[in-house]
Amino acid sequence: MRRTRIAGAVLLAGTVTGLAAGPAQAQEYRYWSFWDGKGGSWAYATEGPATQRPADGAVEGFRFTVGADSAGAGKPRPAADFDAICRDTPAKDGRKRIGIVLDFGTAADAPGGERPPKARTECAQVPEDASAGEALAAVARPLRYDANALLCAIAGYPKAGCAEAVNGSKDGAKGSASSAAPSAGAAEDRADGDGGGGGSGDGGPSAGLLGGAAAVVALGAAAVWQARRRRG
């Protein structure tokens, strides 16, 4: 029985890894990708915004993009420059400042009938233990989530659709797909009917549909397996 449980956990982890990596000709999706800003550059986040708890002075980026994996996703176009983003927000005791970059993507990546807003930056001042998702919710509402708690829209963009497959080539007409892992306040945001936005470059889905959701599933599978092993 124990071997069966281990095999199941390994199989699930392998499936998640396959989604994050994605074959060269894999199906593309339109979704919100999640990025860490380090030294003025962007790196695809290794966990979702719901679990990532950045330190004071960090910069987190969200880019609406089309891609099948992290190699095909667009990076936020604005620079990951904390000093520029938060220069007008003085530090406060018991709070931390997180630079938020919102890149709503290009017209080519927008769902049919929608026009992406201009990219913008915000300085979120949140409690010291706040997650990246909570920092996002503080400055970019309304946020919109689907029934699986995947982030579908930031600041109301896009108006509809979530985790939908895109038809056609990346340079041609696009369908509609998107998503990132939710913040701890996802239920509250959904109740409020909230949703959001944008920057540029090539990178990929890590806290988006493929990365963030995959990371959550992988962590959950590991926790369940460990709990069963202890009971066994």
Side-chain angles (χ1 to χ4, degrees):
M1 175 64 74
R2 184 171 299 176
R3 288 181 180 176
T4 301
R5 290 170 179 166
I6 293 174
V10 170
L11 177 60
L12 177 56
T15 301
V16 169
T17 301
L19 281 174
Q25 302 301 319
Q27 172 65 60
E28 290 186 317
Y29 296 87
R30 181 178 289 113
Y31 67 100
W32 278 101
S33 58
F34 177 46
W35 301 80
D36 291 326
K38 298 178 181 178
S41 60
W42 295 106
Y44 206 79
T46 57
E47 59 181 300
T51 57
Q52 184 156 303
R53 299 189 182 278
D56 180 75
V59 180
E60 306 298 338
F62 295 83
R63 166 72 186 264
F64 192 69
T65 187
V66 169
D69 55 34
S70 60
K75 296 178 183 178
R77 285 166 288 187
D81 187 341
F82 175 80
D83 291 336
I85 296 171
C86 290
R87 62 176 169 236
D88 296 327
T89 305
K92 288 184 181 179
D93 290 340
R95 310 277 288 181
K96 63 182 178 182
R97 294 172 298 166
I98 307 299
I100 300 293
V101 172
L102 303 174
D103 186 338
F104 297 85
T106 66
D109 288 342
E114 295 204 52
R115 187 185 185 117
K118 291 182 179 179
R120 73 175 197 250
T121 61
E122 302 285 352
C123 185
Q125 193 160 59
V126 292
E128 293 178 334
D129 64 346
S131 67
E134 289 169 319
L136 174 67
V139 298
R141 293 190 179 191
L143 305 179
R144 176 168 56 83
Y145 294 89
D146 74 356
N148 296 313
L150 292 176
L151 180 58
C152 305
I154 298 175
Y157 183 80
K159 295 178 181 178
C162 191
E164 296 171 356
V166 172
N167 297 319
S169 68
K170 182 152 189 177
D171 294 328
K174 311 283 169 105
S176 175
S178 72
S179 223
S183 72
E188 177 184 351
D189 293 329
R190 288 198 299 273
D192 292 341
D194 292 349
S200 152
D202 291 326
S206 128
L209 171 66
L210 305 181
V216 172
V217 174
L219 291 172
V224 170
W225 173 71
Q226 290 176 352
R228 289 178 174 175
R229 185 179 62 176
R230 285 195 295 270
R231 287 200 298 269

